[in-house]
Amino acid sequence: MTRKRALTGYRPTGKLHLGHWFGNLQNMLTMQNEYDAFYFIADWHALTSDWADTTRVREFTEEMVLDWCAAGLDPARCTIYRQSDVPEVAELALYFSMVTPMSWLERVPSYKEQREQVTDKDLGNLGFFMYPLLQAADITIVLADVVPVGEDQLPHLELTREIVRRFNNAYGEYLVEPAALIAKQGARVPGTDGRKMSKSYGNSIFISDSPDEITAKVRGMITDPARKLKTDPGDPDICPLHQIHKLVSPDPADIAEWDRCCRSAECGCVAHKQKMATDLVEYLAEFRARREELAARPGFAWEVLEAGAAKARPVTSEVVETCRRLVRIDNNG
Ligand code: SF4
């Protein structure tokens, strides 16, 4: 039986952190075994918001391939490619822009939200306005059957489905309406300041951080804010450090002991931070070794992307050629 095709993409606007590791990345590892998985690095999407400073897009693209492959994504079992290496996406987005009413894009919830909340970037550009349309093309250009999404991204996928229906109604039933694959909710990973781990909050522990960087970040982490003195009992349930420790510790009995001794004020946060840093460094040791090995191979990431684009292109070329024919702007009479 042929596998269903699944697609997911990441914008190369920064390094991957523990929130990504316990969120999408674990899903991607599972998906490469169950689906015909297409994973792309959305470098054109990075431009929609970061068009004024593109200096690090290439660097982040390369780092993302290294992170993905060191984490266990296998280019032989999935297709890893860069969006801009498949320019057919842009042509399909152009056709979509003809059939999509502007009001559909105006009502995308995250568009309004980000225009209001993001103040350090100019998001008044056309590219940002139409990024959901480019997303629709990303999904459709490989005829993806399913797209893993969190609940909050369902409106985006619904928009893709509406655009596909509108295209199919106008030109003939051809493009696939993708279904949502409600992604298994990854663990919520707090950042070093207790808020959700996010690059924009500056509270991230990156999976490619060195042991020294990890240790320094863990040392500076917020713990139970109400626990001022070692003699005050603490509450591990609201302690961000403990939440991460639970995810990375190899020993449940040790976690139970830190929980107990925190509540009874028998242990201090400094000692717990030391233990958690040691466990986190160890947890990422295999990944780090593999990443170093891949980074030492000259051109590794670019070779992966080139091979992935070569695998994706037969599909994307066929889709765009068929769309041209359906729109009647081909050369075949
Ligand atoms: S002892 Fe551990 S669990 Fe308790 S507040 Fe300190 S760091 Fe958090």
Side-chain angles (χ1 to χ4, degrees):
M1 211 174 83
T2 49
R3 290 178 170 200
K4 284 194 170 178
R5 184 165 295 152
L7 170 119
T8 195
Y10 257 90
R11 288 165 15 113
T13 52
K15 298 175 176 193
L16 296 185
H17 53 58
L18 286 177
H20 299 122
W21 175 275
F22 287 107
N24 293 9
L25 203 44
Q26 299 308 314
N27 272 332
M28 288 165 78
L29 288 170
T30 314
M31 274 169 37
Q32 73 175 345
N33 297 325
E34 297 172 357
Y35 289 91
D36 176 16
F38 277 52
Y39 299 137
F40 72 102
I41 296 187
D43 55 346
W44 278 338
H45 277 288
L47 300 189
T48 63
S49 58
D50 292 27
W51 58 270
D53 180 6
T54 58
T55 43
R56 301 190 70 188
V57 176
R58 269 183 68 85
E59 174 195 334
F60 288 143
T61 299
E62 187 170 359
E63 301 236 338
M64 197 166 284
V65 176
L66 292 173
D67 281 348
W68 280 0
C69 292
L73 290 191
D74 177 358
R77 280 191 287 162
C78 59
T79 304
I80 297 174
Y81 62 102
R82 181 170 67 157
Q83 184 184 30
S84 62
D85 285 334
V86 181
E88 291 84 1
V89 171
E91 185 172 337
L92 185 59
L94 184 86
Y95 300 144
F96 282 171
S97 75
M98 306 301 165
V99 301
T100 306
M102 296 209 307
S103 58
W104 287 10
L105 297 174
E106 280 160 359
R107 70 171 197 230
V108 171
S110 57
Y111 174 70
K112 271 203 199 138
E113 217 176 271
Q114 298 210 33
R115 284 296 309 272
E116 280 163 19
Q117 285 177 10
V118 177
T119 49
D120 60 336
K121 288 174 193 163
D122 176 4
L123 298 182
N125 52 324
L126 182 59
F128 185 73
F129 177 65
M130 55 182 262
Y131 84 86
L133 195 141
L134 183 57
Q135 257 176 3
D138 291 324
I139 297 167
T140 317
I141 196 72
V142 298
L143 301 175
D145 301 295
V146 292
V147 179
V149 284
E151 301 272 352
D152 55 331
Q153 296 148 331
L154 278 173
H156 271 148
L157 191 67
E158 193 43 44
L159 179 66
T160 297
R161 291 161 58 84
E162 280 179 291
I163 294 173
V164 167
R165 281 201 287 274
R166 189 125 156 150
F167 181 95
N168 285 349
N169 282 341
Y171 303 117
E173 292 293 325
Y174 169 59
L175 294 176
V176 176
E177 254 186 68
L181 182 70
I182 301 293
K184 205 163 67 218
Q185 204 57 43
R188 184 188 173 276
V189 181
T192 51
D193 60 359
R195 291 185 290 175
K196 184 178 174 217
M197 191 174 284
S198 163
K199 177 178 59 83
S200 46
Y201 293 155
N203 64 1
S204 299
I205 299 175
F206 299 110
I207 56 177
S208 52
D209 277 345
S210 68
D212 284 351
E213 285 167 324
I214 290 175
T215 305
K217 285 181 182 179
V218 171
R219 209 175 285 141
M221 267 190 90
I222 298 275
T223 58
D224 172 358
R227 192 174 189 215
K228 300 270 183 286
L229 301 168
K230 201 174 156 183
T231 46
D232 296 336
D235 181 357
D237 292 338
I238 57 163
C239 172
L241 182 119
H242 194 62
Q243 302 317 308
I244 298 185
H245 198 190
K246 282 198 281 191
L247 294 169
V248 301
S249 167
D251 182 1
D254 189 45
I255 290 296
E257 177 53 19
W258 284 107
D259 189 294
R260 189 201 63 77
C261 73
C262 171
R263 292 179 199 277
S264 58
E266 287 170 57
C267 53
C269 296
V270 174
H272 195 176
K273 285 178 175 182
Q274 270 165 4
K275 181 64 169 61
M276 141 63 168
T278 307
D279 283 353
L280 179 53
V281 166
E282 184 53 34
Y283 176 82
L284 290 171
E286 201 182 313
F287 163 81
R288 199 165 33 249
R290 173 115 182 95
R291 197 184 191 285
E292 275 167 21
E293 185 197 311
L294 297 178
R297 292 195 213 164
F300 169 80
W302 302 106
E303 277 168 25
V304 168
L305 292 174
E306 207 180 306
K311 257 162 82 183
R313 239 180 265 120
V315 183
T316 59
S317 308
E318 191 187 324
V319 170
V320 96
E321 273 164 32
T322 307
C323 288
R324 265 184 220 151
R325 189 158 42 74
L326 290 170
V327 179
R328 299 190 188 82
I329 53 162
D330 62 334
N331 294 328
N332 299 323

